[in-house]
Amino acid sequence: MLILWRSELAKIVTLFALQGVALAALIAVLGAHEGSAELAAVAVGIGALRAGVLPYLLRRALAASGERRETKPIVNVASSLVAAAVLALLAYAVCQPVIRLAPTPATQAVPVAMTVIFLGFFVLATRRRALSQVVGFLLIDNGITAMAFLTAGGLSPVVEIGVSLDVLLAVLVLQVLTTRMRAAFGGTDLDELRELRD
């Protein structure tokens, strides 16, 4: 929710990195609880990628773009926070059947993962800067990863590595695109780019 509150793009990237640390810690706790060395290794990999590599690439894209703030989101900050609260309540309501099926401590946290997914979609729909939308996409991925580990005890390490590499590739492509958009058109405001014609 703090990502919706902040308008400085550098702070948004920092908050995303902190979420990567929290996701790695969640997987490490699950691994310690189950006594799984595989989950511990996946936690280290997820932490390195989501809290280290991806934020580094986002900061490089931010430095190359020269932009500092999300200037005019489609929904203002106050309305975004109210919408985030409504989405969190919706996530808790939607996840109640899953919790009732297997009321374990892990499934009790499933609504939090669903909230992250909903907020990622909300960021994608309401932010105008390309970098903000990349962070929205990555929030969705973090939420899906957390949901997988909370409900199914995680994915196989091979699948998780494959998905993480896909996400890394997507961020690299988006970094190149935002840099080129900035060089060619002078900005990455997607509403302004819609007005371009051949």
Side-chain angles (χ1 to χ4, degrees), residues 40-186:
V42 169
V44 170
I46 294 263
L49 179 66
R50 311 275 170 103
V53 176
L54 293 178
Y56 169 74
L57 292 174
L58 290 173
R59 284 188 187 97
R60 277 187 51 193
L62 182 61
S65 73
E67 294 169 349
R68 299 289 170 246
R69 300 178 64 83
E70 177 68 45
T71 51
K72 297 176 185 175
I74 295 170
V75 179
N76 66 26
V77 172
S79 300
S80 292
L81 293 175
V82 170
V86 170
L87 289 171
L89 291 173
L90 177 64
Y92 275 88
V94 167
C95 292
Q96 287 310 306
V98 173
I99 294 171
R100 281 194 295 271
L101 280 174
T104 64
T107 57
Q108 296 290 330
V110 166
V112 177
M114 184 62 79
T115 300
V116 172
I117 294 169
F118 286 166
L119 293 180
F121 278 117
F122 187 76
V123 169
L124 272 174
T126 60
R127 297 300 172 116
R128 296 177 190 247
R129 299 284 177 208
L131 188 77
S132 296
Q133 292 190 348
V134 170
V135 170
F137 166 74
L138 293 171
L139 289 177
I140 294 168
D141 184 59
N142 282 351
I144 291 170
T145 301
M147 181 82 71
F149 280 98
L150 291 170
T151 57
L155 305 170
S156 85
V158 173
V159 172
E160 185 56 43
I161 289 169
V163 169
S164 295
L165 290 176
D166 286 345
V167 170
L168 179 61
L169 178 62
V171 169
L172 287 171
V173 168
L174 291 169
Q175 178 189 6
V176 170
L177 286 177
T178 55
T179 303
R180 289 194 178 188
M181 285 167 50
R182 173 78 175 154
F185 306 116

